Amino acid sequence: LWMHTDVQGMYAGSGADGLEWLCADAVAPFAGFTGFALTGEGSERWLVTTAEGIFMSRDGGCSFLRAPAPLTHETARALSQHPDRPAEVLVLTDTFDGVRAPFLTLDGGESWQQSRFIRGGILQELLRARANPEVIYMRQDLHLSRSDDGGRSFSGSGRS
């Protein structure tokens, strides 16, 4: 079981032992968590999105590194992880004066590619289809977009 608080840090635990605080404020004080994904086979590799940035951990959440360029100074509003390929994660960036775009990693956050999409306002949320995880819907202020290729590109579907 993994759990995070909105502004402080990560907890881990099992039902019998309760919860244990992991490395207090390991990401940043008052980071404002927006998403969390285990990106490796075990529980050592993490990808965490916060109001302070996008971070990776290679040691189970005890220390964090900022995501590499082009996301070094970006924050993320939403995160969607592929259910069968844990290292494949799509994020929506939301930095004032930043790129504000969907970005995809296939390697747990080590490298990122910006997805092709039509701007339609602030990026709001992601929804991955249960029946086919390659289909992802992205809601923006002004319209809804759909990806049929796991988030590599999105096409508009009119006003939302």
Side-chain angles (χ1 to χ4, degrees):
L1 169 71
W2 300 98
M3 180 181 86
H4 70 81
T5 64
D6 182 39
V7 295
Q8 287 296 314
M10 305 298 286
Y11 291 92
S14 65
D17 298 332
L19 296 174
E20 174 186 344
W21 184 259
L22 292 179
C23 308
D25 296 329
V27 177
F30 303 104
F33 284 77
T34 59
F36 168 66
L38 296 172
T39 59
E41 292 300 317
S43 60
E44 294 299 308
R45 297 184 61 82
W46 296 10
L47 183 67
V48 178
T49 56
T50 76
E52 293 293 321
I54 301 168
F55 298 88
M56 300 179 309
S57 176
R58 296 181 182 123
D59 60 6
C62 236
S63 65
F64 289 87
L65 303 168
R66 282 194 177 272
L71 299 185
T72 304
H73 300 290
E74 295 288 329
T75 62
R77 179 177 292 265
L79 172 149
S80 179
Q81 183 176 32
H82 194 286
D84 302 321
R85 298 186 295 268
E88 187 173 315
V89 180
L90 182 69
V91 299
L92 299 181
T93 61
D94 186 37
T95 305
F96 183 74
D97 287 340
V99 178
R100 289 191 176 178
F103 282 86
L104 180 67
T105 181
L106 302 176
D107 57 14
E110 300 292 334
S111 63
W112 295 88
Q113 311 169 352
Q114 183 177 333
S115 305
R116 293 186 308 278
F117 77 112
I118 299 168
R119 290 198 189 279
I122 294 173
L123 307 176
Q124 296 291 335
E125 67 181 311
L126 294 166
L127 178 63
R128 194 177 290 263
R130 287 188 187 122
N132 180 358
E134 295 301 306
V135 175
I136 303 171
Y137 297 94
M138 177 176 63
R139 185 173 65 86
Q140 301 179 56
D141 281 345
L142 303 178
H143 71 267
L144 185 66
S145 299
R146 176 182 168 138
S147 172
D148 291 313
D149 58 11
R152 289 161 185 79
S153 63
F154 285 86
S155 58
S157 60
R159 291 195 168 279
S160 56

